[in-house]
Every structure is written in C-alpha cells, then in structure tokens.
Amino acid sequence: MGTRQSADEPRPITIKDVASRAGVGLGTASRVLNGNENVAPHLREQVFKAVQDLGYHPNSVARSMRLGKSYAVGCLVTDIRQPIAAEMIAAAENTLRRAGYTLIVASTHFDDSREAEILSLLQNRVVDGMLLAVNRDNDPETARRLTAITIPMVLWERSPDGGFDTVLTEHRVGARRATEHLLALGHREIALVAGHLDTWVGREQRAGFDAAFADRGLEPPAGRIFEVGAFGARKLEALCRGERPITAIIANIDEIPGILHFCAKRGLVLPRDMSIVSIGDASILEVMTPSITAVRGNGTKVAQLAATLLLKKMSDKQPETASERLSVGMQLKVRHSTAPLNDGGGEHV
C-alpha cells in the first residue's frame, strides 16, 4: 500500500511548476533542462532562473538513464589554488551551466599517478565531456592516455602532439613583448621565471624570451631561466650578487609577492634598482606602490571558448571532425615597476 503525503508535508516541486514560474510551455522547460540547444537564450535564462527560485532538483539519475547522458563535465587542473585556475573554472562553469551541465573539478597537484586515476574515472562514462590541463603535455605517456579517451574533450593551455582540440593563450607573444619592453629600456641582464617547461605555457614563454633577444642580435643571458615553484630567495640573491647582477625580472604572477618581499628586505628600490614585469595581471598589481607592469591574458575568454567548443563536440553527430585550435592574445600593460636601466653599477645589496 502506498504512503500518503501528509497535509503538512510540502508538495515536491515539479517541472510543471518550473514552466509556470518561467512563463514557458512544459515542452520548452523540458528541452532546456535536457540540454537541448534549440531554445532561445532568453527563454533558457527564464527557465534557469525559475529552477533557482523554486529550488527545483530534477531526478538526474532517471534522466541520465533515459537519455544516456550524465549532463556533467569533468575539469582537470594542476592546482585549483592558483587564481588563474579559479578564474577559468568559474567562467567554464557559467558557460556550461547555461547549457544544463554541471562541472566537476579535480586537481592533480602535479602528481602523475593522481592524474591517471582522475582521467580513468572521468573516462568511465561518469561525465559527458572533459576540460583538461594535464601536468605534462610533452610526455608520450600522457599523449597515449589522451588518445585512448573516447568521450569529447578539450584541452586548455596545453598543446600535446596528436591533433587534440585545444584553446591556448599566446604566451610566446606575451613573454616576447615583456622582454622587448625591458630591452628597449636598456636592460640586458634579465631573468625569466616561466611556467613549467613540460607544458605549453612554459615552453612558449621561454621561446618568446629568447626571440626578443634574437631580434636584437643578442644572446639570451645564460642561466637566467627558471620554472615556477623552483625559484626562491636564494636563487634571486645569487642573481643579484653575481658578477653580472640582474637588473630586471619577468615572472609568473604567483612569484611576484616573493620577489617583492625579497626586494624590500634587501633594500632594493623599484624600479631604480630592479625592474619587474608580471606574466599575468590582477587588480592588486595596479594599486601597488609602484604599480606592476604586466602582460595580461584573458583566462575567462580561454575558458569560455573551451567550454563552448566542448559543447559543440558533445553535440556533434560526427565526432570524427577535424580538431580545432583556438588562441587568445596577450597585452602589455606598462606601469611604474619598469624604468630605464640605472647604470650606476655595483652589486645589489
């Protein structure tokens, strides 16, 4: 015998309630919640707002079994604590949510075994598609693992061999512009703290740095390129106290606080004693004293393009279509942390 609903027990919210609240037909509400793209954007917004207002929770298990889809997308990043990762995740989530998908995020923390486990889990039909930033995109084993994945995926800020769909920031252009700016100011002893050289980001930043020197017929300074996470006060002090002390540094934004702390402790005045350019920008850099010159990408746009491309791939009736490669530019924002070379000479103390 079935149980009767108590008079005091609230009636469950149904899709009919959602349609009524949104001012649309039941079929329209159903198409929106089932991820159908053939619905006008303003109607989709009305339905999603009604879902939020009413606290509607569809039976996702039943829907997945009926349609053979989970309406979930997996997202793999190396370190979720990085501000750029958070920015990109938020932008991708917003784009996917509008299409009826939930984003599930995992962080590898540069652990290859963890990465393999996460990819295996996502591959096992837990999700309908994936957005990936793998640890090492120049690793043959990683390329093999990606090739074996049978559900739609898009890489962001990674470019392994094999013809994968990917969305990239033009890091070579960004690093080149930063270096050209410092060279034009007379600096020659410049250090670069780039992304990991096992990734597209690090390799492109190094290539842009080298290209700027080559354009002027100069040799890049030896022993002046480092990776994020492998650079600290000791190395910076050695660079400042060497026979040819550095006068400028280009560094990933995550390294900027440590560099500024070092300069303050050593009594180095910016930009008189050291010029600094950040790879990556944030509002805090604009209000610092001095404000920090930066090359600015657009993580939000990268993520939006990647999520949109993934939605296209997930709805594609012919998955053998050619892979796509999209890119987003970088701009140099000159502020007050860079200045012409101070030729006073002498060791930094």
Side-chain angles (χ1 to χ4, degrees), residues 189-190 224 238-248 346-348:
E189 301 303 325
I190 307 169
R224 301 292 170 86
L239 291 171
C240 289
R241 292 185 177 275
E243 184 178 341
R244 298 172 64 182
I246 63 168
T247 62
E347 178 187 88
H348 293 320

Side-chain angles (χ1 to χ4, degrees), residues 87-301:
E87 176 188 343
M88 293 173 69
I89 289 167
E93 185 175 43
N94 188 49
T95 299
L96 292 166
R97 181 189 63 79
R98 292 172 182 272
Y101 286 85
T102 296
L103 189 66
I104 300 172
V105 182
S107 182
T108 67
H109 299 289
F110 291 98
D111 183 326
D112 290 341
S113 61
R114 177 171 172 76
E115 178 178 280
E117 290 171 5
I118 294 169
L119 287 175
S120 178
L121 173 66
L122 296 177
Q123 158 78 347
N124 194 26
R125 291 304 302 176
V126 174
V127 296
D128 296 330
M130 291 186 276
L131 295 171
L132 304 175
V134 293
N135 294 338
R136 276 174 267 277
D137 61 359
N138 63 348
D139 174 40
E141 178 60 23
T142 298
R144 184 202 63 76
R145 199 177 292 133
L146 293 176
T147 301
I149 292 174
T150 57
I151 60 177
M153 65 176 175
V154 174
L155 304 175
W156 57 20
E157 303 293 33
R158 299 293 186 266
S159 183
D161 292 334
F164 300 99
D165 295 298
T166 186
V167 183
L168 304 160
T169 297
E170 294 178 352
H171 286 287
R172 183 181 303 216
V173 173
R176 189 171 189 160
R177 287 178 178 166
T179 310
E180 287 171 345
H181 171 63
L182 292 172
L183 290 172
L185 292 172
H187 296 276
R188 297 296 181 266
E189 301 303 325
I190 307 169
L192 170 69
V193 185
H196 293 280
L197 297 181
D198 285 332
T199 68
W200 156 268
V201 175
R203 294 192 301 273
E204 288 294 289
Q205 288 171 350
R206 179 170 187 164
F209 182 76
D210 289 346
F213 277 91
D215 285 348
R216 289 177 172 259
L218 302 171
E219 285 290 328
R224 301 292 170 86
I225 297 179
F226 304 88
E227 293 185 355
V228 292
F231 183 79
R234 286 187 178 181
K235 288 184 178 177
L236 186 48
E237 185 162 2
L239 291 171
C240 289
R241 292 185 177 275
E243 184 178 341
R244 298 172 64 182
I246 63 168
T247 62
I249 185 167
I250 303 167
N252 185 287
I253 190 171
D254 296 331
E255 303 289 337
I256 295 299
I259 293 170
L260 294 177
H261 180 67
F262 171 88
C263 290
K265 284 186 66 175
R266 297 300 186 277
L268 300 178
V269 178
L270 273 60
R272 184 193 69 190
D273 303 320
M274 183 76 69
S275 285
I276 295 177
V277 181
S278 170
I279 300 176
D281 200 9
S283 57
I284 188 66
L285 300 187
E286 297 184 65
V287 298
M288 286 180 170
T289 304
S291 57
I292 307 299
T293 296
V295 280
R296 175 189 294 175
N298 190 332
T300 294
K301 187 173 182 180

Side-chain angles (χ1 to χ4, degrees), residues 30-79:
S30 178
R31 286 196 297 277
V32 171
L33 295 177
N34 284 326
N36 191 310
E37 298 292 328
N38 297 320
V39 180
H42 73 282
L43 295 180
R44 298 173 66 81
E45 286 297 320
Q46 290 173 210
V47 172
F48 284 128
K49 186 176 187 307
V51 167
Q52 186 174 12
D53 291 345
L54 295 172
Y56 174 65
H57 298 287
N59 188 332
S60 58
V61 174
R63 184 179 68 163
S64 296
M65 291 179 65
R66 184 175 72 254
L67 300 175
K69 299 182 69 172
S70 67
Y71 284 91
V73 166
C75 178
L76 183 74
V77 295
T78 54
D79 191 345

